[in-house]
């Protein structure tokens, strides 16, 4: 029942008067399921469910086998088949997710893919075709060739494509030696794609881990591939695909200047294919001079020796973003290097690892890097330091810490964890564990301190800010 004020007027908003453009904007921010449920509420919203702008971006899912050591059938769930039948001609930005392994493919799914290739006018295509291939997978069944060909028809028929992202592709040598099954050769063969502006190769999308030793194009092949697309403005690669020759190619005067380069840094001490490549500072300088607007982002997936990482992160790189994933490691030495080499360029630092000894160096780095506006740190940190960070008057775009890692009380017992009996600053002998227990604050005091911290940071940022609770992830 509508509420009314003392004058008898209805005080509840009447959403029926919202214009169609407002409703379309609302629908764009909802999941497909929520869009559908909302469309069932009235005739007007049911009609807007079919608005063309809602279907320019689409994500389609195919379900493959759990392993490629047994024959299994890949198919597309019926709801996605219906989406293609009704809205496929509207797709402009399309993502194909194929979970598991493509061994065979159901005939109706092949027909749906063929239909998409005929009706789509794609401007952006993302291909995540199975998990990344390793040498282990070569012992099992290879992918169904006809299924791969149906997916590749989306590339063969494209004529407006400006952005291609290959998250994963079956990299079996027997597959990649075939010009009709090698996704990169198919892209090169389509002359209408010669002006491709963005190319992403095996970049991780919203993940914390990937195959540690995947089969990748080597640096020579990568250089030849990139040299074909002279209009590239954005490029994503994994570190084994880099070389001095590639940097020199990107710096060529006959190419469009590069705007962004993202590097996923991989390392393995057991396999030479995944050692950090040597890239000379002069090659980086040449690239930076030819592309003055170039911004480089580096992401570390796994543990890398400090010496190896230092050889890659030379001061000549215009590094604007640095990411440390959960299963990598963050050290004070790494933060010190970022501070010394990139204090003039670094704008974003993201650390999903949970170090316990980086707090002091983190504060020094952020203080020195005056352009940082995005900070994510999942390591241990005191609440007073979060307060100091927010007081630096930065226009923070991202400011994230983990609730369980925030300490709200300074410890008065600063002995090594192996110490049993210690002497305080006053000269008194104490049993360390017993004294530490009594110096800890209560749970109520801790929660109150965290609540006060959230209020203070929210006031500074101008919106409601909360600490991340990883237990809810």
């Amino acid at each position: 029942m509508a509420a009314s004020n003392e004058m008898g007027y209805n005080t509840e908003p009447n959403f029926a008067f919202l214009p169609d453009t407002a409703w379309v904007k609302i629908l764009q921010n909802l999941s497909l399921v929520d869009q559908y449920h909302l469309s069932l509420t009235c005739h007007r919203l049911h009609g807007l469910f079919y608005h063309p702008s809602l279907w320019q971006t689409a994500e389609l899912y195919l379900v493959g086998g759990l392993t490629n050591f047994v024959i299994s059938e890949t198919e597309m769930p019926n709801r996605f088949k219906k989406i293609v039948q009704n809205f496929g001609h509207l797709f402009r930005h399309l993502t194909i997710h194929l979970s598991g392994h493509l061994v065979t493919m159901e005939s109706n799914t092949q027909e749906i893919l063929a239909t998409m290739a005929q009706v789509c006018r794609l401007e952006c295509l993302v291909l995540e075709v199975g998990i990344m291939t390793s040498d282990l997978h070569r012992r099992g069944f290879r992918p169904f060739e006809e299924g791969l060909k149906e997916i590749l028809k989306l590339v063969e028929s494209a004529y407006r494509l400006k952005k291609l992202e290959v998250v994963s592709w079956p990299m079996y040598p027997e597959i990649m030696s075939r010009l009709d099954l090698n996704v990169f050769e198919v892209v090169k063969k389509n002359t209408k794609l010669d002006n491709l502006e963005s190319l992403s190769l095996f970049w991780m999308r919203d993940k914390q881990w990937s195959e540690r030793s995947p089969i990748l194009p080597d640096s020579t092949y990568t250089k030849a591939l990139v040299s074909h697309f002279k209009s590239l403005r954005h490029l994503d690669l994994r570190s084994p695909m880099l070389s001095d020759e590639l940097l020199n190619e990107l710096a060529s005067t006959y190419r469009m200047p590069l705007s962004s380069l993202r590097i996923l840094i991989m390392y393995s001490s057991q396999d030479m294919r995944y050692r950090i490549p040597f890239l000379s500072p002069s090659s980086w300088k040449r690239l930076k001079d030819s592309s003055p607007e170039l911004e480089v982002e580096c992401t570390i997936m796994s543990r890398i020796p400090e010496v190896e990482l230092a050889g890659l992160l030379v001061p000549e790189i215009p590094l604007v973003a640095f990411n440390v994933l959960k299963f990598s490691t963050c050290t004070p030495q790494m933060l010190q290097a970022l501070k010394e080499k990139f204090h003039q360029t670094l704008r974003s630092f993201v650390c999903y690892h949970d170090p316990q000894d980086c707090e002091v160096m983190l504060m020094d780095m952020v203080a020195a890097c005056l352009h940082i506006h995005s900070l994510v740190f999942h390591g241990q940190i005191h609440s007073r330091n979060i307060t100091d960070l927010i007081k630096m008057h930065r226009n923070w775009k991202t400011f994230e810490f983990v609730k369980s890692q925030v300490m709200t009380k300074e410890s008065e017992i600063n002995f090594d964890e192996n110490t049993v009996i210690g002497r305080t600053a006053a000269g008194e002998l104490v049993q360390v564990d017993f004294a530490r227990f009594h110096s800890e604050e209560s749970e109520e005091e801790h929660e109150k301190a965290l609540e006060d911290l959230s209020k203070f940071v929210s006031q500074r940022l101008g919106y409601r800010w909360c600490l991340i609770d990883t237990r809810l992830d």
Side-chain angles (χ1 to χ4, degrees):
M1 184 175 179
S4 59
N5 60 17
E6 59 184 10
M7 299 296 295
Y9 297 111
N10 188 357
T11 57
E12 284 193 355
N14 189 339
F15 294 107
F17 291 106
L18 280 178
D20 287 353
T21 53
W23 277 115
V24 170
K25 190 67 176 178
I26 292 171
L27 287 165
Q28 286 175 336
N29 288 278
L30 299 178
S31 66
L32 177 60
V33 173
D34 289 338
Q35 287 180 17
Y36 174 72
H37 288 159
L38 188 59
S39 73
L40 299 179
T41 59
C42 67
H43 288 292
R44 183 187 176 197
L45 292 180
H46 184 266
L48 291 177
F49 181 71
Y50 291 85
H51 195 279
S53 63
L54 292 177
W55 299 100
Q56 291 185 2
T57 300
E59 295 193 32
L60 302 180
Y61 291 82
L62 288 80
V63 181
L66 294 176
T67 174
N68 69 325
F69 288 90
V70 296
I71 298 294
S72 56
E73 191 169 62
T74 297
E75 63 177 352
M76 182 184 296
N78 286 329
R79 65 181 181 277
F80 294 113
K81 293 177 182 178
K82 293 178 180 178
I83 288 174
V84 173
Q85 291 167 351
N86 291 324
F87 307 105
H89 64 287
L90 300 173
F91 295 167
R92 299 292 180 270
H93 307 272
L94 176 64
T95 300
I96 300 288
H97 298 278
L98 195 160
S99 63
H101 294 267
L102 169 63
V103 179
T104 63
M105 183 178 285
E106 182 237 355
S107 58
N108 188 241
T109 298
Q110 293 185 63
E111 295 173 4
I112 292 293
L113 291 172
T115 300
M116 277 199 298
Q118 293 175 359
V119 302
C120 288
R121 293 181 291 172
L122 297 179
E123 299 171 8
C124 170
L125 176 62
V126 179
L127 296 175
E128 188 173 5
V129 183
I131 65 174
M132 294 198 70
T133 311
S134 68
D135 290 329
L136 172 66
H137 300 126
R138 296 181 62 184
R139 304 173 191 171
F141 294 101
R142 291 200 298 271
F144 181 48
E145 293 182 3
E146 295 305 315
L148 289 178
K149 289 179 180 178
E150 294 298 343
I151 296 174
L152 286 171
K153 284 181 180 178
L154 290 165
V155 178
E156 293 173 341
S157 62
Y159 60 93
R160 301 174 62 181
L161 200 66
K162 293 300 180 184
K163 178 178 180 180
L164 176 64
E165 184 173 350
V166 181
V167 180
S168 61
W169 187 262
M171 294 292 291
Y172 299 77
E174 301 84 355
I175 294 292
M176 300 307 289
S177 63
R178 293 267 303 273
L179 296 182
D180 59 335
L181 298 178
N182 182 327
V183 60
F184 310 117
E185 295 300 324
V186 172
V187 178
K188 288 168 60 177
K189 186 178 179 181
N190 187 344
T191 58
K192 296 176 182 177
L193 305 184
D194 287 351
N195 292 324
L196 200 68
E197 297 176 359
S198 178
L199 180 62
S200 179
L201 304 178
F202 306 107
W203 185 261
M204 293 169 60
R205 305 185 90 224
D206 304 321
K207 297 177 182 177
Q208 288 288 352
W209 186 251
S210 175
E211 172 63 46
R212 188 183 181 91
S213 303
I215 300 175
L216 297 170
D218 62 27
S219 59
T220 302
Y221 185 90
T222 303
K223 187 261 181 183
L225 175 64
V226 170
S227 66
H228 181 86
F229 300 103
K230 297 178 174 56
S231 299
L232 288 179
R233 301 280 291 167
H234 309 277
L235 180 63
D236 302 340
L237 298 170
R238 295 197 176 205
S239 56
M241 305 164 71
L242 287 169
S243 64
D244 258 359
E245 292 74 17
L246 174 62
L247 295 185
N248 290 328
E249 165 63 31
L250 292 170
S252 300
T253 56
Y254 55 79
R255 298 184 60 91
M256 289 289 290
L258 200 63
S259 294
S260 72
L261 174 62
R262 298 196 299 174
I263 305 170
L264 180 62
I265 303 175
M266 303 174 58
Y267 176 80
S268 172
S269 59
Q270 287 79 33
D271 194 328
M272 289 298 296
R273 294 177 297 176
Y274 308 105
R275 301 299 292 268
I276 302 297
F278 172 76
L279 304 173
S280 66
S282 60
S283 296
W284 279 113
K285 186 178 185 305
R286 192 177 300 112
L287 176 57
K288 186 168 64 173
D289 290 343
S290 67
S291 302
E293 297 181 0
L294 175 63
E295 297 181 346
V296 176
E297 175 180 343
C298 289
T299 297
I300 302 179
M301 186 186 75
S302 57
R303 294 177 179 270
I304 301 175
E306 297 286 347
V307 174
E308 296 280 349
L309 188 60
L312 177 63
L313 298 178
V314 294
E316 287 75 11
I317 300 177
L319 186 71
V320 299
F322 191 80
N323 309 312
V324 181
L325 300 188
K326 182 176 181 179
F327 299 103
S328 180
T329 184
C330 180
T331 65
Q333 293 76 17
M334 178 189 294
L335 297 176
Q336 176 73 22
L338 292 175
K339 169 190 171 182
E340 294 177 351
K341 297 178 181 179
F342 309 110
H343 60 274
Q344 294 183 338
T345 60
L346 195 66
R347 298 203 298 266
S348 173
F349 177 73
V350 175
C351 178
Y352 293 115
H353 179 58
D354 54 354
Q356 308 298 304
D357 58 347
C358 290
E359 183 177 10
V360 174
M361 197 60 239
L362 175 74
M363 298 297 295
D364 288 347
M365 184 198 72
V366 175
C369 299
L370 299 178
H371 301 293
I372 283 188
H373 55 59
S374 294
L375 179 62
V376 174
F377 186 68
H378 285 197
Q380 192 174 84
I381 187 169
H382 283 84
S383 58
R384 58 173 169 77
N385 280 332
I386 297 178
T387 300
D388 289 343
L389 286 168
I390 204 65
K391 287 179 179 179
M392 289 182 180
H393 302 291
R394 307 283 174 82
N395 185 21
W396 293 108
K397 294 182 179 179
T398 308
F399 196 70
E400 180 180 305
F401 301 90
V402 175
K403 183 176 182 180
S404 60
Q405 293 280 47
V406 176
M407 298 174 288
T408 56
K409 184 178 181 180
E410 296 292 339
S411 176
E412 300 173 0
I413 308 300
N414 297 313
F415 295 105
D416 182 85
E417 61 180 9
N418 296 319
T419 302
V420 178
I421 301 294
R423 193 177 296 276
T424 66
E428 299 177 351
L429 288 174
V430 296
Q431 184 177 340
V432 173
D433 285 343
F434 184 76
R436 184 178 286 123
F437 173 80
H438 283 281
S439 70
E440 293 178 353
E441 63 185 340
S442 67
E443 183 175 347
E444 291 77 11
E445 291 174 326
H446 181 64
E447 288 297 326
K448 178 63 168 59
L450 292 180
E451 183 180 346
D452 291 342
L453 173 66
S454 295
K455 289 180 179 178
F456 179 79
V457 175
S458 298
Q459 185 179 21
R460 287 279 181 158
L461 293 177
Y463 59 83
R464 187 172 183 271
W465 179 86
C466 295
L467 293 161
I468 302 297
D469 192 342
T470 54
R471 296 173 301 177
L472 302 178
D473 293 347

